[in-house]
Amino acid sequence: RPTTRESLASNTPPTPGGAEKAYSTGNAAAAQGSAPSGQRTLALRCGIGYGWVPHADTLVPTGGITLEVCCRLRSSVANHGTLVRKNPEEGRDSYNLRLSPGSYPQWTIQDASGIHTVVGGLPVPIGPAVHIAGTYDGTTQRLFVNGSEVARRETAGGELANFGGALIIGHGNVRSSSEVFDGDIDTVRIWRGARSADQLSAARTRQFASAPN
């Protein structure tokens, strides 16, 4: 559901010369059938435009978070190819799942103690579908690729920082063209709580008919 243009603080980012797709947190569409209540599912081709979801506190859950993205990379990442970023304003993102230069997966969260980042040791390949997930339980930050843990970091900051702002899909800082993801994003899932490697591995290729949270 498109909404009127306002400022970044009120969740409507400007479009830097590209197409924009707006989705309400009240809408959810899956590839087949309807997505379960509380889960947002989106198919989006990136590189020309991006998707965004207006702020809701449920997008910055307390008690931990899991962010999952199924994607397909079209070209090697020279700058930062952002998959999902909560709040596009610099220094005010609650979390950010993206590919760093060289196509390495990167998971960033911000809590009371600051900004924390983990990076995988192997680049995401060009062409095949890849499942990338980041989790945070208030003390430990983990990054997974295709269900396998590739990086972790211990923190002591507690809950995620919540600055409001839109959830951006396929782009990072929308005032710049350097953080566009060049590829396809098939599914985005945000869970309350940190899911385990076994849970991620078992469910990464499944379509849900219902969800516990």
Side-chain angles (χ1 to χ4, degrees):
R1 182 182 63 187
T3 59
T4 57
R5 292 183 178 278
E6 299 172 17
S7 67
L8 285 172
S10 53
N11 306 321
T12 308
T15 304
E20 174 186 304
K21 295 181 183 294
Y23 295 85
S24 165
T25 52
N27 296 335
Q32 301 175 11
S34 298
S37 174
Q39 188 175 343
R40 312 299 172 221
T41 306
L42 172 68
L44 176 69
R45 178 171 288 273
C46 302
I48 299 174
Y50 59 90
W52 65 275
V53 179
H55 171 72
D57 284 338
T58 53
L59 295 173
V60 189
T62 58
I65 186 174
T66 298
L67 171 60
E68 299 180 70
V69 176
C70 294
C71 63
R72 191 185 307 270
L73 183 62
R74 280 202 295 265
S75 63
S76 181
V77 177
N79 294 302
H80 287 95
T82 303
L83 297 166
V84 177
R85 175 171 170 164
K86 181 61 177 73
N87 194 328
E89 294 190 74
E90 185 174 357
R92 296 179 66 81
D93 41 338
S94 301
Y95 49 84
N96 190 341
L97 186 62
R98 64 185 184 178
L99 303 183
S100 63
S103 308
Y104 293 89
Q106 176 179 313
W107 169 233
T108 297
I109 61 99
Q110 185 166 182
D111 57 24
S113 65
I115 298 173
H116 310 286
T117 297
V118 292
V119 181
L122 294 174
V124 170
I126 297 170
V130 178
H131 177 271
I132 303 174
T135 71
Y136 177 61
D137 62 6
T139 59
T140 305
Q141 180 183 4
R142 294 180 172 91
L143 176 64
F144 300 83
V145 175
N146 290 333
S148 297
E149 184 177 305
V150 297
R152 73 159 62 192
R153 174 177 178 154
E154 303 300 321
T155 71
E159 302 290 357
L160 290 170
N162 187 348
F163 299 107
L167 179 84
I168 307 297
I169 301 170
H171 208 319
N173 181 347
V174 297
R175 301 184 188 279
S176 168
S177 62
S178 65
E179 297 186 15
V180 175
F181 175 72
D182 183 21
D184 302 320
I185 295 176
D186 178 66
T187 301
V188 175
R189 295 175 182 156
I190 298 174
W191 300 86
R192 182 187 309 111
R195 292 174 70 78
S196 68
D198 288 343
Q199 288 175 311
L200 290 170
S201 183
R204 65 188 178 89
T205 60
R206 293 171 54 196
Q207 179 180 332
F208 292 98
S210 62
N213 58 3

